[in-house]
Short mmCIF file of all heavy atoms in Angstrom, two decimals:
data_model
loop_
_atom_site.label_atom_id
_atom_site.label_comp_id
_atom_site.label_asym_id
_atom_site.label_seq_id
_atom_site.Cartn_x
_atom_site.Cartn_y
_atom_site.Cartn_z
N ASP A 97 -22.36 58.12 9.54
CA ASP A 97 -21.81 57.13 10.46
C ASP A 97 -22.92 56.19 10.90
O ASP A 97 -23.89 56.61 11.50
CB ASP A 97 -21.21 57.85 11.67
CG ASP A 97 -20.73 56.88 12.72
OD1 ASP A 97 -20.61 55.67 12.40
OD2 ASP A 97 -20.47 57.32 13.85
N LEU A 98 -22.72 54.93 10.60
CA LEU A 98 -23.75 53.95 10.93
C LEU A 98 -24.00 53.83 12.42
O LEU A 98 -25.09 53.44 12.84
CB LEU A 98 -23.32 52.58 10.41
CG LEU A 98 -23.92 52.18 9.08
CD1 LEU A 98 -23.33 50.88 8.62
CD2 LEU A 98 -25.42 52.06 9.24
N ALA A 99 -23.00 54.16 13.22
CA ALA A 99 -23.14 53.90 14.65
C ALA A 99 -23.75 55.07 15.41
O ALA A 99 -23.86 55.04 16.63
CB ALA A 99 -21.78 53.53 15.25
N ASN A 100 -24.15 56.09 14.72
CA ASN A 100 -24.71 57.24 15.41
C ASN A 100 -26.22 57.08 15.60
O ASN A 100 -26.97 57.05 14.63
CB ASN A 100 -24.41 58.49 14.58
CG ASN A 100 -24.83 59.75 15.31
OD1 ASN A 100 -25.72 59.71 16.15
ND2 ASN A 100 -24.19 60.84 14.99
N PRO A 101 -26.65 57.02 16.85
CA PRO A 101 -28.07 56.75 17.13
C PRO A 101 -28.99 57.86 16.69
O PRO A 101 -30.19 57.68 16.59
CB PRO A 101 -28.11 56.58 18.65
CG PRO A 101 -26.88 57.23 19.16
CD PRO A 101 -25.86 57.12 18.06
N PHE A 102 -28.43 59.02 16.40
CA PHE A 102 -29.27 60.12 15.95
C PHE A 102 -30.11 59.72 14.75
O PHE A 102 -31.24 60.15 14.59
CB PHE A 102 -28.41 61.34 15.58
CG PHE A 102 -29.18 62.46 14.95
CD1 PHE A 102 -29.96 63.31 15.73
CD2 PHE A 102 -29.16 62.66 13.58
CE1 PHE A 102 -30.69 64.33 15.14
CE2 PHE A 102 -29.89 63.68 12.99
CZ PHE A 102 -30.64 64.52 13.78
N PHE A 103 -29.57 58.86 13.91
CA PHE A 103 -30.23 58.56 12.65
C PHE A 103 -31.29 57.48 12.72
O PHE A 103 -32.10 57.35 11.81
CB PHE A 103 -29.19 58.18 11.61
CG PHE A 103 -28.22 59.29 11.34
CD1 PHE A 103 -26.93 59.21 11.80
CD2 PHE A 103 -28.63 60.42 10.66
CE1 PHE A 103 -26.05 60.25 11.58
CE2 PHE A 103 -27.76 61.46 10.42
CZ PHE A 103 -26.46 61.38 10.89
N SER A 104 -31.30 56.73 13.79
CA SER A 104 -32.16 55.56 13.77
C SER A 104 -33.63 55.91 13.58
O SER A 104 -34.34 55.25 12.83
CB SER A 104 -31.94 54.72 15.03
OG SER A 104 -31.72 55.53 16.14
N GLU A 105 -34.07 56.96 14.20
CA GLU A 105 -35.48 57.33 14.07
C GLU A 105 -35.80 57.79 12.65
O GLU A 105 -36.88 57.53 12.12
CB GLU A 105 -35.79 58.45 15.07
CG GLU A 105 -37.24 58.81 15.19
CD GLU A 105 -37.95 57.90 16.19
OE1 GLU A 105 -37.26 57.18 16.96
OE2 GLU A 105 -39.18 57.90 16.18
N ILE A 106 -34.85 58.45 12.05
CA ILE A 106 -35.03 58.89 10.66
C ILE A 106 -35.17 57.68 9.75
O ILE A 106 -36.03 57.64 8.88
CB ILE A 106 -33.83 59.75 10.23
CG1 ILE A 106 -33.77 61.01 11.09
CG2 ILE A 106 -33.94 60.12 8.75
CD1 ILE A 106 -32.58 61.89 10.81
N LEU A 107 -34.32 56.69 9.98
CA LEU A 107 -34.39 55.47 9.18
C LEU A 107 -35.76 54.83 9.30
O LEU A 107 -36.33 54.33 8.33
CB LEU A 107 -33.33 54.47 9.65
CG LEU A 107 -31.89 54.87 9.40
CD1 LEU A 107 -30.97 53.71 9.80
CD2 LEU A 107 -31.68 55.24 7.95
N LYS A 108 -36.27 54.88 10.49
CA LYS A 108 -37.59 54.30 10.72
C LYS A 108 -38.62 54.98 9.83
O LYS A 108 -39.44 54.31 9.19
CB LYS A 108 -37.95 54.49 12.20
CG LYS A 108 -39.15 53.73 12.66
CD LYS A 108 -39.27 53.91 14.16
CE LYS A 108 -40.40 53.10 14.75
NZ LYS A 108 -40.32 53.16 16.24
N GLY A 109 -38.56 56.28 9.78
CA GLY A 109 -39.50 57.03 8.95
C GLY A 109 -39.32 56.71 7.48
O GLY A 109 -40.28 56.48 6.75
N ILE A 110 -38.09 56.68 7.05
CA ILE A 110 -37.81 56.39 5.64
C ILE A 110 -38.32 55.01 5.30
O ILE A 110 -39.05 54.81 4.32
CB ILE A 110 -36.29 56.47 5.37
CG1 ILE A 110 -35.78 57.89 5.53
CG2 ILE A 110 -35.98 55.93 3.97
CD1 ILE A 110 -34.28 58.04 5.41
N SER A 111 -37.95 54.07 6.12
CA SER A 111 -38.28 52.68 5.85
C SER A 111 -39.79 52.48 5.77
O SER A 111 -40.29 51.72 4.94
CB SER A 111 -37.68 51.82 6.96
OG SER A 111 -38.24 50.56 6.96
N ARG A 112 -40.49 53.16 6.63
CA ARG A 112 -41.95 53.00 6.64
C ARG A 112 -42.55 53.40 5.29
O ARG A 112 -43.33 52.66 4.70
CB ARG A 112 -42.54 53.85 7.76
CG ARG A 112 -44.05 53.79 7.82
CD ARG A 112 -44.59 54.64 8.94
NE ARG A 112 -44.09 54.19 10.25
CZ ARG A 112 -44.27 54.88 11.37
NH1 ARG A 112 -44.90 56.02 11.35
NH2 ARG A 112 -43.80 54.41 12.51
N VAL A 113 -42.16 54.56 4.83
CA VAL A 113 -42.71 55.05 3.56
C VAL A 113 -42.27 54.17 2.39
O VAL A 113 -43.06 53.82 1.51
CB VAL A 113 -42.30 56.51 3.32
CG1 VAL A 113 -42.68 56.97 1.93
CG2 VAL A 113 -42.94 57.40 4.37
N LEU A 114 -41.01 53.81 2.39
CA LEU A 114 -40.51 52.99 1.28
C LEU A 114 -41.25 51.67 1.20
O LEU A 114 -41.66 51.23 0.13
CB LEU A 114 -39.01 52.71 1.46
CG LEU A 114 -38.06 53.89 1.29
CD1 LEU A 114 -36.61 53.40 1.34
CD2 LEU A 114 -38.33 54.62 -0.01
N SER A 115 -41.42 51.04 2.35
CA SER A 115 -42.00 49.70 2.29
C SER A 115 -43.47 49.77 1.86
O SER A 115 -43.98 48.85 1.25
CB SER A 115 -41.82 48.96 3.61
OG SER A 115 -42.86 49.26 4.48
N GLN A 116 -44.10 50.90 2.14
CA GLN A 116 -45.47 51.06 1.64
C GLN A 116 -45.52 51.06 0.11
O GLN A 116 -46.48 50.62 -0.49
CB GLN A 116 -46.06 52.39 2.13
CG GLN A 116 -46.70 52.30 3.49
CD GLN A 116 -46.98 53.68 4.06
OE1 GLN A 116 -46.85 54.68 3.36
NE2 GLN A 116 -47.36 53.73 5.32
N SER A 117 -44.45 51.56 -0.48
CA SER A 117 -44.41 51.61 -1.94
C SER A 117 -43.75 50.38 -2.53
O SER A 117 -43.44 50.34 -3.72
CB SER A 117 -43.64 52.85 -2.40
OG SER A 117 -44.12 54.00 -1.77
N GLY A 118 -43.48 49.41 -1.69
CA GLY A 118 -42.85 48.20 -2.19
C GLY A 118 -41.36 48.36 -2.46
O GLY A 118 -40.77 47.61 -3.20
N TYR A 119 -40.80 49.35 -1.86
CA TYR A 119 -39.37 49.58 -2.03
C TYR A 119 -38.58 49.05 -0.84
O TYR A 119 -39.08 49.01 0.28
CB TYR A 119 -39.09 51.07 -2.20
CG TYR A 119 -39.11 51.51 -3.65
CD1 TYR A 119 -40.28 51.46 -4.37
CD2 TYR A 119 -37.95 51.93 -4.29
CE1 TYR A 119 -40.30 51.84 -5.71
CE2 TYR A 119 -37.96 52.32 -5.62
CZ TYR A 119 -39.13 52.27 -6.32
OH TYR A 119 -39.15 52.64 -7.64
N SER A 120 -37.35 48.65 -1.09
CA SER A 120 -36.46 48.22 -0.02
C SER A 120 -35.47 49.33 0.31
O SER A 120 -35.24 50.22 -0.51
CB SER A 120 -35.69 46.98 -0.43
OG SER A 120 -36.57 45.97 -0.85
N MET A 121 -34.92 49.25 1.50
CA MET A 121 -33.99 50.28 1.95
C MET A 121 -32.58 49.71 2.07
O MET A 121 -32.34 48.81 2.86
CB MET A 121 -34.47 50.83 3.31
CG MET A 121 -33.56 51.87 3.91
SD MET A 121 -34.27 52.65 5.40
CE MET A 121 -34.04 51.35 6.62
N LEU A 122 -31.69 50.23 1.26
CA LEU A 122 -30.29 49.86 1.35
C LEU A 122 -29.59 50.89 2.22
O LEU A 122 -29.89 52.08 2.13
CB LEU A 122 -29.64 49.91 -0.03
CG LEU A 122 -29.95 48.80 -1.01
CD1 LEU A 122 -29.46 49.20 -2.39
CD2 LEU A 122 -29.23 47.55 -0.55
N ILE A 123 -28.66 50.43 3.04
CA ILE A 123 -27.96 51.38 3.89
C ILE A 123 -26.46 51.28 3.71
O ILE A 123 -25.91 50.19 3.62
CB ILE A 123 -28.34 51.15 5.36
CG1 ILE A 123 -29.84 51.35 5.49
CG2 ILE A 123 -27.54 52.05 6.27
CD1 ILE A 123 -30.26 51.92 6.77
N ALA A 124 -25.82 52.42 3.66
CA ALA A 124 -24.36 52.44 3.60
C ALA A 124 -23.87 53.69 4.29
O ALA A 124 -24.64 54.64 4.50
CB ALA A 124 -23.90 52.42 2.15
N SER A 125 -22.63 53.69 4.71
CA SER A 125 -22.09 54.90 5.31
C SER A 125 -21.06 55.51 4.37
O SER A 125 -20.41 54.81 3.60
CB SER A 125 -21.45 54.60 6.67
OG SER A 125 -20.20 53.99 6.48
N THR A 126 -20.98 56.81 4.46
CA THR A 126 -20.08 57.56 3.60
C THR A 126 -18.69 56.95 3.61
O THR A 126 -18.08 56.70 2.58
CB THR A 126 -19.96 59.01 4.12
OG1 THR A 126 -21.25 59.51 4.36
CG2 THR A 126 -19.26 59.87 3.10
N LYS A 127 -18.21 56.72 4.81
CA LYS A 127 -16.85 56.24 4.97
C LYS A 127 -16.67 54.89 4.28
O LYS A 127 -15.69 54.63 3.58
CB LYS A 127 -16.56 56.11 6.47
CG LYS A 127 -15.09 55.90 6.78
CD LYS A 127 -14.86 55.97 8.28
CE LYS A 127 -13.44 55.50 8.63
NZ LYS A 127 -13.07 54.27 7.95
N GLN A 128 -17.68 54.04 4.46
CA GLN A 128 -17.58 52.70 3.92
C GLN A 128 -17.56 52.72 2.40
O GLN A 128 -16.79 52.00 1.77
CB GLN A 128 -18.80 51.93 4.36
CG GLN A 128 -18.55 50.48 4.49
CD GLN A 128 -19.41 49.98 5.61
OE1 GLN A 128 -20.60 49.80 5.41
NE2 GLN A 128 -18.83 49.79 6.76
N VAL A 129 -18.44 53.52 1.85
CA VAL A 129 -18.48 53.63 0.39
C VAL A 129 -17.12 54.09 -0.11
O VAL A 129 -16.56 53.55 -1.06
CB VAL A 129 -19.58 54.61 -0.06
CG1 VAL A 129 -19.46 54.89 -1.54
CG2 VAL A 129 -20.94 54.04 0.26
N HIS A 130 -16.60 55.06 0.55
CA HIS A 130 -15.31 55.59 0.15
C HIS A 130 -14.21 54.54 0.27
O HIS A 130 -13.45 54.29 -0.67
CB HIS A 130 -14.96 56.80 1.03
CG HIS A 130 -13.64 57.41 0.68
ND1 HIS A 130 -12.49 57.10 1.36
CD2 HIS A 130 -13.30 58.28 -0.30
CE1 HIS A 130 -11.49 57.78 0.81
NE2 HIS A 130 -11.94 58.50 -0.18
N ASP A 131 -14.17 53.88 1.40
CA ASP A 131 -13.12 52.90 1.64
C ASP A 131 -13.18 51.73 0.68
O ASP A 131 -12.16 51.18 0.28
CB ASP A 131 -13.21 52.37 3.08
CG ASP A 131 -12.77 53.43 4.08
OD1 ASP A 131 -12.37 54.51 3.63
OD2 ASP A 131 -12.87 53.17 5.29
N SER A 132 -14.39 51.36 0.31
CA SER A 132 -14.50 50.18 -0.54
C SER A 132 -14.21 50.53 -2.00
O SER A 132 -14.29 49.68 -2.88
CB SER A 132 -15.89 49.57 -0.40
OG SER A 132 -16.84 50.41 -1.01
N GLY A 133 -13.88 51.80 -2.23
CA GLY A 133 -13.48 52.18 -3.58
C GLY A 133 -14.66 52.37 -4.52
O GLY A 133 -14.48 52.66 -5.70
N GLU A 134 -15.86 52.23 -4.01
CA GLU A 134 -17.01 52.46 -4.86
C GLU A 134 -17.22 53.96 -5.00
O GLU A 134 -16.82 54.74 -4.14
CB GLU A 134 -18.27 51.87 -4.24
CG GLU A 134 -18.24 50.37 -4.10
CD GLU A 134 -19.53 49.87 -3.46
OE1 GLU A 134 -19.86 50.33 -2.36
OE2 GLU A 134 -20.17 49.04 -4.08
N ARG A 135 -17.87 54.30 -6.07
CA ARG A 135 -18.28 55.68 -6.17
C ARG A 135 -19.76 55.72 -5.89
O ARG A 135 -20.47 54.76 -6.17
CB ARG A 135 -17.94 56.24 -7.54
CG ARG A 135 -16.47 56.59 -7.62
CD ARG A 135 -16.06 56.83 -9.05
NE ARG A 135 -16.34 55.66 -9.87
CZ ARG A 135 -16.18 55.64 -11.19
NH1 ARG A 135 -15.73 56.71 -11.79
NH2 ARG A 135 -16.44 54.55 -11.88
N LEU A 136 -20.17 56.86 -5.34
CA LEU A 136 -21.52 56.93 -4.83
C LEU A 136 -22.56 56.73 -5.92
O LEU A 136 -23.52 55.98 -5.75
CB LEU A 136 -21.71 58.27 -4.15
CG LEU A 136 -22.82 58.38 -3.15
CD1 LEU A 136 -22.82 57.17 -2.25
CD2 LEU A 136 -22.63 59.64 -2.35
N PHE A 137 -22.37 57.36 -7.04
CA PHE A 137 -23.41 57.26 -8.05
C PHE A 137 -23.39 55.91 -8.75
O PHE A 137 -24.26 55.63 -9.56
CB PHE A 137 -23.34 58.42 -9.04
CG PHE A 137 -22.04 58.50 -9.79
CD1 PHE A 137 -21.79 57.63 -10.84
CD2 PHE A 137 -21.09 59.43 -9.45
CE1 PHE A 137 -20.59 57.71 -11.54
CE2 PHE A 137 -19.90 59.51 -10.14
CZ PHE A 137 -19.64 58.64 -11.18
N ASP A 138 -22.39 55.11 -8.43
CA ASP A 138 -22.43 53.73 -8.92
C ASP A 138 -23.74 53.07 -8.51
O ASP A 138 -24.29 52.26 -9.26
CB ASP A 138 -21.28 52.92 -8.34
CG ASP A 138 -19.98 53.20 -9.08
OD1 ASP A 138 -20.02 53.97 -10.06
OD2 ASP A 138 -18.96 52.65 -8.68
N TYR A 139 -24.21 53.41 -7.36
CA TYR A 139 -25.44 52.79 -6.88
C TYR A 139 -26.60 53.05 -7.83
O TYR A 139 -27.47 52.21 -7.99
CB TYR A 139 -25.81 53.29 -5.48
CG TYR A 139 -25.08 52.59 -4.38
CD1 TYR A 139 -23.80 52.99 -3.99
CD2 TYR A 139 -25.65 51.51 -3.71
CE1 TYR A 139 -23.12 52.34 -2.97
CE2 TYR A 139 -24.98 50.86 -2.70
CZ TYR A 139 -23.72 51.27 -2.33
OH TYR A 139 -23.05 50.62 -1.33
N LEU A 140 -26.59 54.23 -8.44
CA LEU A 140 -27.62 54.54 -9.40
C LEU A 140 -27.31 53.91 -10.76
O LEU A 140 -28.15 53.28 -11.38
CB LEU A 140 -27.76 56.05 -9.55
CG LEU A 140 -28.17 56.83 -8.30
CD1 LEU A 140 -28.28 58.31 -8.62
CD2 LEU A 140 -29.48 56.31 -7.75
N ASP A 141 -26.07 54.07 -11.20
CA ASP A 141 -25.66 53.55 -12.51
C ASP A 141 -25.78 52.04 -12.58
O ASP A 141 -26.06 51.47 -13.63
CB ASP A 141 -24.21 53.94 -12.77
CG ASP A 141 -24.11 55.30 -13.44
OD1 ASP A 141 -25.16 55.90 -13.68
OD2 ASP A 141 -22.98 55.73 -13.72
N ASP A 142 -25.49 51.47 -11.48
CA ASP A 142 -25.54 50.04 -11.22
C ASP A 142 -26.85 49.34 -11.38
O ASP A 142 -26.91 48.13 -11.41
CB ASP A 142 -25.31 49.91 -9.70
CG ASP A 142 -24.01 49.31 -9.44
OD1 ASP A 142 -23.34 48.94 -10.41
OD2 ASP A 142 -23.71 49.19 -8.28
#
Side-chain angles (χ1 to χ4, degrees):
Chain A
D97 175 14
L98 262 175
N100 186 335
F102 173 78
F103 299 107
S104 37
E105 188 85 14
I106 297 176
L107 293 185
K108 191 174 184 171
I110 293 175
S111 165
R112 178 180 299 170
V113 171
L114 291 186
S115 86
Q116 273 167 9
S117 309
Y119 269 66
S120 306
M121 178 172 75
L122 285 167
I123 299 213
S125 76
T126 312
K127 193 172 169 314
Q128 209 147 78
V129 170
H130 180 264
D131 288 357
S132 70
E134 296 180 304
R135 281 166 302 175
L136 201 44
F137 60 77
D138 280 357
Y139 278 84
L140 298 181
D141 272 0
D142 249 356

